Amino acid sequence: MIRPDFHEANRLSWNAATVAHNRHKPDQAGFLRGGGSTLFPEETGLLGTVQGKTVLHLLCNSGQDTLGIAALGAEVTGVDISDEAIAFATRLSEESGIAATFERSDVYPWLEAAVNAGRRFDTVFCSYGALCWLSDLGTFLRGVAGVLNPGGRFVCVEFHPVAMIFDEQGEPKYDYRMAEPLAWDDGIRDYVADSCGGLTPSGPVAPAEPFNNPHPCYEFQRGLGDILGAVILAGLTLREFHEYEFTNGWKPFAEMKSLPGRRWTSPDGKPSIPLMFGLVAERA
């Protein structure tokens, strides 16, 4: 069931967090103009060649990855629920000189309207902490299938549900899947600051004042079987699936081993666990 009440609370929390996150990232427009990209090899590898293709980036946040895809030659539309994120993304597009279209909306009414209007794309993309904000995964993926061209692909790189079992100290605390959303009274936090440069490829800046989000947020925890099952039930054919024992950018636990390329993995002496997954699914 779609829960617009939770989505609205999350919109407010993201509006506040987006401002905090972007204050850590210096001269993003200059970074992009100079050929910089926030995309990791996992995304570009799964996306494949996008030159001349139409790409829909759902839950695009502030548009950095959207513009990275556009710089590869795609015609890209980014959609996000946050007013602050879309406003920032639009400015970043103008200031970087990389063309993309950004539209502010909750993803559910956006997809419904797009399907009804006959809008179609070669690729639909989402990544990194996107699926946890969706109250109804089945409806979302049916909407994704509805806006794909025949032969079009849904590409997703996401944090692994197994990693979400643990708290910040790496101790098991949460159920693998939850019937009700997980409520965070302190809202979306400044995880950019906590990731020790992993999420600031344009260069680190001095830490800003501590951030306290006044708006709570709600996340939806699902198992990997729930996610893959919803992909299949939406009528999409799974073409690729990968699990990764590292994270890109985000540092999920206090004790992590740093890897080259702004990656984090389990520290020496501790078992490795899957921390991300990537998938490609195709519409017939």
Side-chain angles (χ1 to χ4, degrees), residues 134-147:
L134 301 171
S135 57
D136 189 320
L137 189 58
T139 298
F140 169 77
L141 287 165
R142 288 191 295 273
V144 166
V147 297

Side-chain angles (χ1 to χ4, degrees), residues 32-46:
L32 294 174
R33 282 197 307 271
S37 177
T38 57
L39 295 171
F40 286 88
E42 287 67 38
E43 293 104 279
T44 55
L46 291 174

Side-chain angles (χ1 to χ4, degrees), residues 10-276:
N10 290 341
R11 181 184 70 84
L12 296 174
S13 198
W14 272 110
N15 279 347
T18 295
V19 175
H21 296 167
N22 281 312
R23 69 187 179 182
H24 298 296
K25 304 173 183 179
D27 192 18
Q28 295 188 72
F31 172 72
L32 294 174
R33 282 197 307 271
S37 177
T38 57
L39 295 171
F40 286 88
E42 287 67 38
E43 293 104 279
T44 55
L46 291 174
L47 281 166
T49 301
V50 295
Q51 176 76 39
K53 294 185 178 180
T54 54
V55 177
L56 172 63
H57 185 184
L58 296 175
L59 297 94
C60 69
N61 197 260
S62 294
Q64 293 93 344
D65 287 356
T66 319
L67 296 176
I69 297 171
L72 296 175
E75 179 185 334
V76 190
T77 300
V79 178
D80 197 90
I81 196 171
S82 167
D83 315 77
E84 288 286 349
I86 290 298
F88 185 94
T90 301
R91 291 195 303 271
L92 189 59
S93 175
E94 295 169 352
E95 294 171 4
S96 67
I98 301 173
T101 300
F102 292 98
E103 302 180 22
R104 196 221 70 82
S105 177
D106 187 348
V107 68
Y108 291 99
W110 192 94
L111 283 169
E112 182 179 11
V115 170
N116 291 337
R119 298 178 71 175
R120 297 293 182 268
F121 300 86
D122 298 316
T123 302
V124 176
F125 174 72
C126 69
S127 66
Y128 301 122
L131 301 184
C132 64
W133 303 109
L134 301 171
S135 57
D136 189 320
L137 189 58
T139 298
F140 169 77
L141 287 165
R142 288 191 295 273
V144 166
V147 297
L148 280 172
N149 285 319
R153 305 187 313 150
F154 172 56
V155 178
C156 178
V157 182
E158 185 56 279
F159 298 119
H160 204 290
V162 166
M164 301 300 105
I165 294 171
F166 303 96
D167 65 16
E168 292 178 351
Q169 303 309 312
E171 297 296 327
K173 183 176 180 179
Y174 306 104
D175 290 338
Y176 181 61
R177 58 168 62 88
M178 298 182 183
E180 295 297 322
L182 184 61
W184 300 97
D185 291 337
D186 54 355
I188 297 158
R189 298 165 61 183
D190 193 356
Y191 56 79
V192 175
D194 296 337
S195 290
C196 304
L199 294 170
T200 54
S202 59
V205 294
E209 292 297 319
F211 170 65
N212 296 304
N213 198 325
H215 303 289
C217 67
Y218 302 87
E219 294 184 71
F220 301 86
Q221 175 72 345
R222 302 177 179 90
L224 192 57
D226 301 319
I227 296 167
L228 295 177
V231 169
I232 294 168
L233 287 174
L236 300 171
T237 300
L238 190 65
R239 296 300 188 192
E240 292 188 49
F241 180 78
H242 309 271
E243 293 179 296
Y244 310 99
E245 295 174 357
F246 55 84
T247 62
N248 286 333
W250 177 52
K251 184 182 179 185
F253 312 126
E255 292 187 18
M256 298 290 288
K257 180 180 179 181
S258 176
L259 297 175
R262 298 186 291 117
R263 290 172 167 166
W264 302 94
T265 192
S266 299
D268 294 336
K270 289 197 174 182
S272 64
I273 62 171
L275 295 172
M276 299 195 315

